Amino acid sequence: MTIKYESQKIAQNFYTFAVLLFLVQVVVGIIAALQFMWPDFFILNFNIIRSLHINAMVVWLLVGMMGATYYVVSEESDTELWSVPMANFQFWATVLTVTLVVLGYIWMGINPQANSTTLFSTGILNEGREYIEAPRWADILIVVSVLLFLFNNFMTVLKTKKWTGIQGTLLGGLTVLALMYLPGMFYTKNMVKDQFWWWWVVHLWVEGAWEIIAGALLAFMLMKTTGVKREVVEKWMYVEVGLVMFTGILGTGHHYYWIGTPSYWLWVGGIFSSLEPVPLLVMVWDAFRTTRETRVVTNKAGLYYTVAHAIFNFVGAGLWGVIHTLPQVNKWTHGTQITTAHGHLAFYGAYVLLVLAMIYITLPAIRGVKEFNASRAFQSFWWMTISMIFIVLTITGAGMVQTYMERLMGLDYVAVKANYNLWFWILRAIFGVGFLYGVVIFVIDYFKLGKEPAPIAAPAPEKA
Amino acid sequence: MSNKAARNLFIYGSLFFFAIFIVLTIDTMGKLDKRAPAITEEVNAGKMVWHKYDCIGCHTILGNGSYFAPDMTKIAEKKPKDYLKQFLMDPKSVNPKASMPKLGISSQEADNLIAFLDWISKVDTNGWPPKPILATAAGIAGKELSAGQKVYQTQNCSNCHMINGIGGTTGPELTHVGSKRDKAWLIGHFKDPKAYVPNSAMPAYGYLSEEELNNLTDYMVSLK
């Protein structure tokens, strides 16, 4: 694959920032894992470290998707981006905002009193709500950045009016993403309302808009790596994202069981959220059916990541989620490590692998190479994936012990965490280092891709 | 099914389910006030303290948050308010083994935060968290409790203290307290904890009858 339009190269800025933040996320994650065993060992408390870990994650995934979008829209619309200067400005504005927010968190970590709540009724450095800790002024800057991003891409499509299913769904998903950031941007005195609207952002993001984006990009990636016909891949894309919405919108109710909202949500949320894995299973079937019919694959690494994304999206988001979505189970597991286990595998499968796959599929074209040595790509893939599987297994084990001993038996929270679950924390930190090793290989690969001599001979066509 | 039909099903189907979601949301918003106590200025001030110090960055509340420190939904029911205030302002002075850092929470902030936690404990959460199946008893199953053990149970001592692995880590463990303290010390301490342990946040139990205090102390002394 080669790029048709120079402006597609703007994706690279976004990818680079994303890759660096990914590295930061994982380093900080290891600090957090160590704090489970030694809470006082670092200069910043766990809550600041955790904020850095999850904010770095959300930002790098978003920025990665932005890069991928700039690339895809230009190609699908058959034209240069409407405004490269605007894209550059949007990029640097995002980098600046994120840097300021991070510095703000660190400052608040060192001096909690600096987080004054006189402006906006919320903290000037940290809003004190998980995932959306970014203060209101940063929220506004993020909204501006996303609006510029959407505007630029929509104007690009309007240049040629070439609406394809893929880019229509992609931009539609991104628009819903942008709209769903807004419910987190007001203060309410009622903590129940606070959490209700918070879940509009988080659930309708990761179990809504983001899965639509994933569905659209999966179709794009399958098309590019296997040569499958657009009509086929787009039809199944519509089926998948349709099922995501039909199950996921009312599936939001599985966050409304125990937070002070009426009990009918146990029925609505329980039934619809149990069906949420179905579209993800269709995506797995779609990926395998498509790749089975392929004869020649130039970008093996790209295809690997694409199929892996479909599999782990289903296993992490789908299976690990559905095991504790029923109210009868969730009553005991709500707020335990079971949730964290699900979160880690879900994000890795649904979104980390998605952005990495898009990078491996689009970066060679941006760097001007048709083939590249994929050995580092495969190495990092296995180090990361196997480490993450084991990380998730340790957290799941810890969650089962916690559910049994703390929730069912009534033992003390601190005692269970510090004594019975200690070995899970030790193993998790070890596997975290394994994951970091994989990330480091990937970062090296990212910067070196396309800049080394090409492989000696092209492999013979695959006999499938 | 043609692509266009699939696309239309996706778009209109999504709007249909979103409309139902909006209706349920409006209904829920209308019912929230009845499911919790009134929100006073103090409660709101306490919520702002919760956000200022980013408590949810370590704790969970209503089960949501970071799974690093205990859930705060029922804490105002389980621990005495004086203990909470002292702990919030300087955790390690009350419990040297506490992992919670000293954040510089002021006396006023602590009062407000406790009012907020009290409000949270009274929200109708559809029965969450469920009562543990095995009660946090003093670790003696199937036998008739002694008089002292009964006092220990009725006073909910295991909310803060641990005996034989069961109970809280808020206060010191009592499994071998009989080897450390004698009867005189224990009775004096029950009547006025602060006189015996500086910075103690334990409530005073002088209101118990002489008989109850004696029985409880006999039980403590038996834990060698």
Side-chain angles (χ1 to χ4, degrees):
Chain A
M1 196 165 71
T2 47
I3 52 167
K4 285 200 268 184
Y5 305 99
E6 271 303 293
S7 60
Q8 284 176 290
K9 284 189 179 162
I10 191 85
Q12 197 169 211
N13 296 21
F14 289 84
Y15 288 161
T16 303
F17 189 42
V19 166
L20 293 173
L21 281 179
F22 182 29
L23 187 59
V24 167
Q25 180 206 350
V26 178
V27 168
V28 166
I30 292 180
I31 296 175
L34 293 174
Q35 285 176 315
F36 264 76
M37 298 176 278
W38 303 295
D40 296 328
F41 93 95
F42 200 64
I43 41 163
L44 297 171
N45 291 322
F46 178 83
N47 60 343
I48 306 298
I49 294 295
R50 186 192 188 240
S51 299
L52 291 171
H53 181 63
I54 59 184
N55 280 224
M57 176 186 75
V58 172
V59 173
W60 87 255
L61 293 173
L62 267 176
V63 166
M65 291 193 291
M66 284 180 176
T69 303
Y70 278 121
Y71 184 97
V72 170
V73 168
S74 212
E75 183 154 311
E76 293 273 291
S77 294
D78 244 330
T79 181
E80 297 279 357
L81 186 66
W82 186 73
S83 167
V84 173
M86 184 183 273
N88 264 314
F89 172 75
Q90 186 243 326
F91 171 71
W92 288 109
T94 306
V95 172
L96 180 65
T97 307
V98 168
T99 308
L100 290 174
V101 168
V102 167
L103 291 174
Y105 291 166
I106 294 173
W107 183 12
M108 175 216 178
I110 295 170
N111 174 20
Q113 297 307 323
N115 193 25
S116 143
T117 50
T118 42
L119 212 61
F120 302 120
S121 299
T122 61
I124 193 108
L125 300 174
N126 185 320
E127 209 184 310
R129 297 166 83 194
E130 49 162 356
Y131 290 96
I132 55 173
E133 292 92 339
R136 191 68 76 242
W137 54 263
D139 286 339
I140 293 168
L141 291 173
I142 291 166
V143 168
V144 170
S145 163
V146 172
L147 285 176
L148 288 174
F149 160 74
L150 285 175
F151 180 69
N152 207 348
N153 281 294
F154 273 111
M155 291 306 283
T156 306
V157 180
L158 286 176
K159 271 167 77 177
T160 60
K161 297 203 173 43
K162 263 183 138 193
W163 282 103
T164 67
I166 285 174
Q167 71 170 347
T169 306
L170 177 62
L171 289 175
L174 286 162
T175 306
V176 175
L177 183 159
L179 287 170
M180 289 305 123
Y181 192 62
L182 301 175
M185 283 175 66
F186 63 92
Y187 178 78
T188 171
K189 294 184 183 179
N190 185 325
M191 185 53 114
V192 178
K193 273 194 195 148
D194 183 306
Q195 293 204 349
F196 183 90
W197 289 109
W198 185 88
W199 279 116
W200 263 60
V201 180
V202 176
H203 177 99
L204 291 176
W205 261 29
V206 301
E207 296 172 80
W210 286 41
E211 287 286 5
I212 296 179
I213 293 163
L217 290 176
L218 176 66
F220 179 82
M221 296 191 295
L222 288 173
M223 211 169 65
K224 293 295 162 186
T225 52
T226 69
V228 67
K229 275 219 201 88
R230 176 186 291 275
E231 299 79 55
V232 177
V233 90
E234 279 187 353
K235 180 162 95 168
W236 286 108
M237 174 192 75
Y238 284 128
V239 171
E240 288 149 10
V241 299
L243 287 171
V244 164
M245 289 278 98
F246 301 167
T247 58
I249 293 173
L250 291 177
T252 312
H254 68 178
H255 301 292
Y256 297 152
Y257 296 160
W258 322 119
I259 65 166
T261 44
S263 58
Y264 56 68
W265 285 111
L266 276 79
W267 284 98
V268 174
I271 292 172
F272 280 89
S273 70
S274 299
L275 298 169
E276 282 186 42
V278 172
L280 308 181
L281 190 57
V282 176
M283 287 184 194
V284 176
W285 170 83
D286 192 5
F288 275 104
R289 186 211 56 188
T290 309
T291 55
R292 241 206 316 261
E293 292 161 358
T294 311
R295 292 286 172 261
V296 182
V297 182
T298 5
N299 190 342
K300 259 180 110 178
L303 187 62
Y304 235 79
Y305 273 92
T306 304
V307 177
H309 157 254
I311 295 172
F312 285 106
N313 188 1
F314 171 67
V315 175
L319 287 185
W320 247 252
V322 89
I323 52 168
H324 77 136
T325 204
L326 288 177
Q328 303 90 316
V329 174
N330 192 265
K331 183 168 71 165
W332 299 102
T333 62
H334 176 55
T336 66
Q337 296 292 321
I338 298 283
T339 311
T340 325
H342 162 62
H344 278 79
L345 195 56
F347 264 108
Y348 180 71
Y351 304 118
V352 170
L353 287 176
L354 175 69
V355 174
L356 297 184
M358 279 303 293
I359 289 178
Y360 274 108
I361 288 169
T362 60
L363 193 65
I366 290 172
R367 297 258 169 97
V369 293
K370 278 207 167 61
E371 282 169 3
F372 61 95
N373 185 335
S375 68
R376 271 190 302 258
F378 284 111
Q379 257 189 69
S380 70
F381 171 80
W382 286 116
W383 272 97
M384 286 193 291
T385 301
I386 292 182
S387 298
M388 181 51 73
I389 289 171
F390 279 108
I391 287 170
V392 170
L393 286 174
T394 61
I395 305 175
T396 305
M400 287 173 168
V401 168
Q402 182 187 9
T403 302
Y404 186 74
M405 303 197 89
E406 186 210 330
R407 299 302 179 83
L408 280 161
M409 286 178 66
L411 300 194
D412 178 70
Y413 175 95
V414 175
V416 173
K417 177 183 171 193
N419 302 327
Y420 302 103
N421 274 332
L422 180 62
W423 269 103
F424 287 120
W425 310 141
I426 293 172
L427 290 171
R428 174 181 48 185
I430 295 172
F431 295 126
V433 173
F435 190 81
L436 178 64
Y437 183 66
V439 174
V440 168
I441 299 174
F442 164 69
V443 174
I444 292 171
D445 200 30
Y446 174 80
F447 285 106
K448 284 194 160 172
L449 197 147
K451 300 191 178 156
E452 295 162 313
I456 298 163
E462 301 278 340
K463 287 203 170 77
Chain B
M1 183 169 51
S2 71
N3 276 32
K4 201 156 179 219
R7 189 199 67 190
N8 288 340
L9 181 61
F10 158 53
I11 294 173
Y12 294 111
S14 304
L15 288 171
F16 170 71
F17 281 104
F18 196 67
I20 299 179
F21 189 52
I22 300 270
V23 169
L24 291 175
T25 296
I26 293 170
D27 181 75
T28 293
M29 287 296 120
K31 295 196 158 88
L32 287 187
D33 287 338
K34 285 205 195 71
R35 298 180 62 92
I39 300 172
T40 62
E41 275 309 302
E42 227 199 333
V43 167
N44 179 46
K47 181 173 183 278
M48 284 171 64
V49 173
W50 172 270
H51 289 307
K52 172 183 170 187
Y53 291 98
D54 188 28
C55 305
I56 210 167
C58 289
H59 290 275
T60 52
I61 193 163
L62 300 170
N64 290 319
S66 314
Y67 316 98
F68 186 76
D71 186 78
M72 293 288 104
T73 309
K74 297 292 181 191
I75 199 76
E77 254 179 36
K78 288 224 170 69
K79 303 282 198 272
K81 303 239 165 40
D82 290 329
Y83 158 77
L84 286 176
K85 179 159 181 174
Q86 228 176 306
F87 185 80
L88 281 168
M89 293 175 70
D90 191 353
K92 286 183 174 54
S93 75
V94 172
N95 178 2
K97 286 192 271 187
S99 306
M100 173 147 162
K102 185 172 176 179
L103 296 165
I105 298 174
S106 72
S107 173
Q108 181 68 71
E109 285 181 325
D111 285 337
N112 292 335
L113 188 56
I114 291 166
F116 166 69
L117 291 173
D118 185 72
W119 180 88
I120 280 274
S121 73
K122 300 185 166 104
V123 170
D124 180 355
T125 57
N126 298 325
W128 195 85
K131 290 245 178 313
I133 290 170
L134 182 68
T136 44
I140 303 146
K143 289 193 235 168
E144 169 72 33
L145 296 176
S146 70
Q149 286 167 342
K150 283 186 185 150
V151 179
Y152 189 88
Q153 271 216 338
T154 26
Q155 297 303 315
N156 287 317
C157 305
S158 63
N159 274 353
C160 291
H161 292 279
M162 188 183 284
I163 297 181
N164 291 328
I166 294 188
T169 49
T170 307
E173 196 189 331
L174 300 176
T175 310
H176 304 294
V177 69
S179 307
K180 293 198 194 92
R181 307 289 185 197
D182 62 23
K183 197 160 173 174
W185 190 96
L186 286 163
I187 290 195
H189 174 254
F190 277 130
K191 288 183 174 164
D192 187 0
K194 280 184 172 47
Y196 286 74
V197 178
N199 280 328
S200 173
M202 173 157 157
Y205 287 90
Y207 60 85
L208 295 173
S209 71
E210 284 302 314
E211 195 190 341
E212 285 175 313
L213 273 175
N214 270 316
N215 288 334
L216 185 57
T217 307
D218 283 342
Y219 172 45
M220 293 290 107
V221 164
S222 75
L223 296 171
K224 300 245 190 265

